[in-house]
Structure formats: C-alpha cells, structure tokens
Amino acid sequence: MKVSLNIGGMDCASCAMNIGRNLKRQAGIISADVNYANGKAYVEYDEAKIGLDKIKEVVKKTGYQVLDKMPMSHEGQMKHEAGEHEHVVKISNWLTVKLVLAIIFTAPLLARMIWQWQIGGSVMNISNTDWTQIILAASVVFIFGWQFHKSAGKQIIRGQFNMDSLISLGTLTAFFYSLWAVFAGRPMYFESAAAIAALILLGKYLEAKTSGRASDAMKKLMELGVKKAMIIDDQGKIIEKNIEEVKIGEIALVRPGEKIPLDGIIIEGQSDIDESMLTGEGLPVAKSVGENVFGGTINKDGQLKIKITQTGENTVLAKIIKTVEEAQSFKAPVQKLADTISGIFVPAVIGVAILTFIGWLIYSHDFSIAIINAVTVLIIACPCALGLATPIAVMVGTSVGAKKGILIKNGESFEKAKRIDTVVFDKTGTLTLGEPKLAEIIAAENFSQDEVLAIAARLAQGSNHPLSRAVADFANGEQQLYILNKEGASDFPLRAGGPLPALDKMPTDIPRVQNPAVKNFAEFPGRGIGGEIDGQKYFLGNRRILAENKINAAWAEKISQEKSEEGGSLLFLAQAEQVIGAFVLRDELKKTAEEAVWNLKKMKIESIIISGDREAAVHYTASLLSVDNFFAEILPAEKQQKVKELQDTGKRVVFAGDGINDAPSLVQADLGIAMGAGADIAKEAGNIIIMKNEPIKIVEAIRLARKTFGIIRQNLFWAFFYNVIAIPLAILGIANPIVAAFAMILSDITVIGNSLRIYRD
C-alpha cells in the first residue's frame, strides 16, 4: 500500500531526514521518502504489519504534524493549491520582515566594536548603554531567531542534532555569558550573539528565495484540464456537465478550437488535433473515426463526437500529474553536508567545552577563567561561516546565471550538476525551433519549381495549418529556404555526415506570389486543402487526400521512399488526376545546437535525443548533430521511464526540454533544464530555466552549476578547517571571546570572498 501524507512543521532538510529515518525503523514500512520541498511524505507499507494511524503517530512523535489530505476534485485541488501558495507567501514575507529587523537591531551592536557609543543614565546600577545592548541582542536572539531555538529544541528532545542546534547553542551561550558579564564586570559579546542569528537568517532568506515548490508545478498542470464538457444525452440534447460528473461511455461534442475534455475514442468526424502538450511536437496530428484522443489536447478544425473511455485519475493528463508528484517523491533534498557533519560536530563541541571548563577550573581554581575559555570554545565553534557557506555561493551563482540568461531555481541544482555524465535532449523546441520550414521543392516532369510553388502558395494562403503557412510564408518572402549542406552548416568538426538534402538545383530567385482569390476553397481535416485556380481543381496535402480523390500516387510514392530517411514532412500538389509537385518541410535546428553537442563531447558528457516524433525525423536530426544515441516515437510516460532506465544503469542524467509532456522527465532527471520559451509547467518542473532558448546555454548552465558547487565545497572545507585550527587555541586559553568573535567574522569574510570568485567566469 502506498500513501502520500502532507507534513507540517518542517524547517529544514534534516527535518525530512529525521522523519524518514524514524518511519523506516518501523516494522512493515517498505519505503519512506520525505520531501522537504513540497512538504510531503511518500510511504509504502505492508497493511498486515502496520496501519496508517500508526504511521501518522510516528510522524507526530517525531515532532511534526500530519495535515488534512488534499482534495481530489479539480476545483478542490485548485483551491488547496491556491491556499498553500498564499501560506508560503506569508511565511516568506514574515522571514523577510525578521531579517530586516534583525539587521537593524544588530547594526548598533556591531558598530560599537569600532565606535564606543554611549547612552547616559542607568537603571538598577546598570548603564542604559548596557540595557540597550541587552534589549537589542535579546530581540534578535529570542524573537527574530526563535525558529532556530524551536527547531533545536525538537531535535535535542529526541537526541538529534542539526544546523539549528549549533546556531541555537552559539547564540544562547554568547547572550547568557554576556548577560552574566554585565553584572560581573566582564567583557560582553552581545554583538556576537546577534550577528550569528542575523547572518543565519540571511542564509535562510537566500535559501527561501531560490527554492521552488512542487505545488506550483501541480497548479500549472491542473490548469491544463477542462472544467466543463458538452455531453450528448440519449435524446440527442447537448448538456453541459462538470468534468467530475462525466461518466465512461458518455458522448462528448467537441467543436473546432475547443479542448478535448477527457480521454476517448472518435465515433464521428475527423480533425487535426494539437497534441503538443503530450508529445511536444508542434505539428497537429490527423485523427478520424476509431482513433484515440486525450483530455487537454486541442481540436483544431473539425467537429468531433467522442466516446469517453477514461475519467478522473485514469486520464493521460492525470497520470502526468501523478508522475510528476511521484517522481519528486524519490528526489527528496539530499541532506546538506553541514547538517550531516553537525550530527557529530555539535555534541563533540559541547563535550569539548565542558572538558575545557572542568580542566581550567581544576588548573586555575578560577570560575571566571574556566567559564570564559569554555564560552570561547563555543563561540569560536559557532557555525556562522558554516551557515553562510552554501547560501552565499548560491546567491552569487544564481546572480551570474541570471546575467547569462540562466535562471537557477534552487541550491540543489549545483550539487546535482557535479556528477552529470549524460544529457538527454527533447528534440522539438529544445534542439529545433518547433516550426516547419520549407526545405525543398520538387517538381514533377514537365513542371517547374516556380510553377509548383506559385500554385501551392495560392492554395496555402487560405489555410492556418502550420505546413500550409510554411509554404505561404516562403512564397510571400517571410522566410528563406531552410538549407542544410556540408559546406555551410558550422565550423564544428563532429558532424556525422548523415543523409543531407540535395538542393544544388534550387533556383536562387523564386518569384513571390500575391494573394489572388481561390474559388471553392476547402479544408479537409487531417488530409489537406483544395480549391479551383483558373478553372482547374487542385489539392495540397498528404497521401490520404490523393487516395480519397483517386489521384495517381505513383510519383508521390517514389518521392516518399526517396525522402523517407531524411525525416521531415511531405506535402503533395495534385492537379486533376496527377501529382505535379512535392514540398519537403523540416523542423529547423537551432543555431547553437551543434555547438552544444560538440562542447558536451569535450566535457566527456554523453548526449541523447528523445522525441515523440517519427523515427526517420529523429534519426536525421541525431545524424546531423552527431549525438551518441536517440529514442523516437516516445510517449510522455515513456520519456520519464527512459530517463529512469538510464539512471538505473548508473548514469547521472540532465534532461533538457520545453513541453508539458516533458514535465515528468524534468522532475525524474537528476537535473532538469527547461527552455524559457516552453510551457509554464516545464519551467516549473525544471531546476534550471534557459531564458535565451539556445542549446549552448544548457552547456553554460552545467558549467556554472559545477563551478558553484565546487565553491560551496571549498567554503564548507574552510569553515570546518577554521574550527579545527581555532578550537585548540580556545582550549589552551590562547584565544578569548573577543578573538573568537573576530575570527568568526574573518571566517565569514573568507567564505564570502571565495564565493565572489564565481563572478570570474
């Protein structure tokens, strides 16, 4: 049995780790993955050994809440998502307020390290200057930094430690020692206590600003669904129904331009269906009686009657939503290195501080010296630099990326890019423009290319079909021929030398046509267009339109066979009973596609194309780009499965795509890169968004992420190395709290300075 639970009260990645660890300890739990990013626990369990109530009880005993289950209806889930988004915004706004106030309250304390400002007067024999320092520091530590103490308390009660444990310990120790020092006439370190809390709040803020939530992706997916359906009842009347009320077997009427409400089979009519949300392919698919259609796709031009075959969670769109969510469940954020080490580091530091106190008390018989040296150990070990090591590098990395048109949504992306060895490209819209372009005009015997183009262009003027528009746009001078040849392609040496279109005989100056009237113009959904020009009947379309009008297709068949290995689409122009010309249309490669693949090879990263397009078209593109492998005619769920299969072989996979259908794969991959011109859901599901929409930016994103993660690791090393060197000095009494505070600030400067090296790209 599998169940998804909404978890409340998680403050950091280690919270998710602790919940998962405690769940896995229970008999009957098969697997437990807790995702801090979307606040959910995905648990698989044996019902014979453990029940759902017991699972919830374990979560509660760990210190967290199990929230109400998300509503399953479309409208209910949308309301839930909206409420959750509003809640996240409120939390983010409150964090911003706390950070700003913490900085304002901390600034005077830090300033006093340089300028000894004073406030006249005293209360209870304590100067107003000291009272002001107490109030400022207490506000930062106990009000604005309360979340750290709350989280640390939860962990300590259960014998566990995390970054918050270190933060809480350091701030409380510095504050209460300073409070004692006020009455004992000793040096005070209120600025250290406040600075620690303020700087860590800054880190939390940066993390919150760069983190995305899965609920946004779910919301975008839900918006693709249809809320209403036009159902034909037994008496032939058309009734509008809520989508949740539609039953299997009912007949839906879908007019041109409308979305298909649910999965079904066509029982009357034919049309071109825009399935780009599922396949990613820009060209509509011709569908007729007996063929399957899917909810959320768009009926382009014909009226259809569809018998509903799937509803609710069984539709293809619903399965995509479920796939995205399930894939995320296996990608819970990896416990940060700092949190992992903190589990050992915190109790060790506490033990060292206690031993330091005891040792100096025995040695000096002076309580003040003993407590000062013990406090110095705790202050000098406080993880200020440790807390900044990741967010500062992330901030700089994301800033550099933004300037390059690369939006990095969360800090995890840097870690994920480190060991990437495979990049899987969606073809259409990622490596190609996703729009058909006229590549070749072929004239039959006794006809010229000029004549063929002129006639076809006059027909195509009246159609909005992408293939017709490509012919018309070329004829009107709005585009050039999409020519690929060995001499003019690029300077990159890794061309595969696959089959290339022979365009040597293409005329250099084809006359452009005007827009004369075409009589009896008609569109034939899924087949093509037709009309009369100067009293002669013409057809422009695929081989189906030739067969329906009993036109001799022998020449068309020959051309189809010749061009079958080159991919692309073929349109035939027929006059009376003969085919007089053909048009080859292809999806144009983006300018930097080949450069991107070439650079990946230099980086020893394997490149793979995956697409829902026909095998010939994908093979042709793969040949031109010299990619290592390709998969063609792949459905959305299969795309995600292919990525998983690659991961199962030990590969670390980047998936780069732009379509709705790519969302599950973007989430499944170790690192998802979405093209900025693509669907919103793809951008929500991806870890990185490429705004300039060029493949070479994918390479730049990987390089930037790797460099930033390298800086993060260096920051963590120096933060811990500082402790390794400084703690012995504190134990020996060589350092005091003032030196410890200065050393702490110096370590911060080191971490920040190292992070700024990312700008030197």
Side-chain angles (χ1 to χ4, degrees), residues 306-337:
I306 299 169
K307 183 178 181 180
I308 303 302
T309 57
Q310 299 290 348
T311 61
E313 297 181 354
N314 295 318
T315 64
V316 171
L317 178 59
K319 287 179 179 178
I320 290 178
I321 295 174
K322 185 178 180 181
T323 302
V324 171
E325 189 175 32
E326 287 185 348
Q328 284 193 347
S329 74
F330 294 99
K331 292 179 62 182
V334 177
Q335 175 64 32
K336 288 183 174 63
L337 178 60

Side-chain angles (χ1 to χ4, degrees), residues 310-461:
Q310 299 290 348
T311 61
E313 297 181 354
N314 295 318
T315 64
V316 171
L317 178 59
K319 287 179 179 178
I320 290 178
I321 295 174
K322 185 178 180 181
T323 302
V324 171
E325 189 175 32
E326 287 185 348
Q328 284 193 347
S329 74
F330 294 99
K331 292 179 62 182
V334 177
Q335 175 64 32
K336 288 183 174 63
L337 178 60
D339 272 343
T340 302
I341 298 178
S342 294
I344 302 172
F345 185 68
V346 176
V349 168
I350 294 172
V352 169
I354 292 172
L355 291 175
T356 301
F357 173 78
I358 295 172
W360 276 99
L361 187 61
I362 294 173
Y363 176 76
S364 66
H365 303 289
D366 188 323
F367 176 82
S368 296
I369 293 176
I371 193 66
I372 287 173
N373 288 335
V375 167
T376 302
V377 169
L378 291 174
I379 292 178
I380 214 163
C382 188
C384 201
L386 197 59
L388 285 174
T390 297
I392 287 293
V394 167
M395 181 183 69
V396 177
T398 52
S399 175
V400 170
K403 290 180 180 179
K404 294 175 175 289
I406 301 166
L407 300 185
I408 301 173
K409 294 170 61 179
N410 52 60
E412 286 183 85
S413 302
F414 301 111
E415 182 176 355
K416 292 174 180 177
K418 178 61 181 176
R419 297 181 181 178
I420 290 301
D421 55 27
T422 304
V423 174
V424 178
F425 293 99
D426 168 60
K427 181 178 76 71
T428 307
T430 303
L431 292 173
T432 67
L433 294 176
E435 301 174 357
K437 295 291 184 68
L438 184 60
E440 189 174 357
I441 303 172
I442 307 170
E445 190 175 355
N446 299 325
F447 289 87
S448 70
Q449 291 175 321
D450 292 2
E451 292 174 312
V452 169
L453 176 63
I455 295 169
R458 291 174 69 176
L459 281 175
Q461 297 289 344

Side-chain angles (χ1 to χ4, degrees), residues 130-209:
D130 291 344
W131 280 118
T132 301
Q133 292 186 82
I134 292 171
I135 293 170
L136 290 174
S139 299
V140 176
V141 172
F142 294 104
I143 299 177
F144 311 135
W146 175 249
Q147 66 189 74
F148 306 127
H149 311 307
K150 181 180 177 182
S151 174
K154 287 181 180 179
Q155 302 301 320
I156 292 172
I157 288 172
R158 294 164 181 82
Q160 300 166 343
F161 299 96
N162 63 358
M163 273 290 296
D164 289 342
S165 303
L166 281 171
I167 297 163
S168 178
L169 181 63
T171 54
L172 292 177
T173 301
F175 178 83
F176 283 112
Y177 170 78
S178 299
L179 190 61
W180 170 80
V182 169
F183 296 94
R186 299 281 185 170
M188 297 170 289
Y189 304 99
F190 287 117
E191 73 284 341
S192 297
I196 292 168
L199 286 170
I200 300 302
L201 275 174
L202 173 62
K204 293 284 186 181
Y205 171 80
L206 295 175
E207 183 178 0
K209 296 299 287 185

Side-chain angles (χ1 to χ4, degrees), residues 523-534:
E523 290 205 55
F524 305 95
R527 292 155 291 171
I529 56 178
E532 292 182 14
I533 300 176
D534 299 329

Side-chain angles (χ1 to χ4, degrees), residues 492 594-603 696 699 703:
F492 297 100
E594 193 172 18
E595 182 183 358
V597 174
W598 182 67
N599 275 277
L600 289 174
K601 288 183 181 291
K602 287 179 62 179
M603 297 165 67
I696 191 61
V699 179
R703 284 176 172 162

Side-chain angles (χ1 to χ4, degrees), residues 207-233:
E207 183 178 0
K209 296 299 287 185
T210 56
S211 294
R213 294 191 64 86
S215 59
D216 292 333
M218 294 299 105
K219 183 179 179 181
K220 294 292 184 182
L221 278 173
M222 290 300 299
E223 288 173 353
L224 296 172
V226 181
K227 295 183 179 181
K228 305 283 186 180
M230 307 305 294
I231 301 298
I232 303 174
D233 66 11

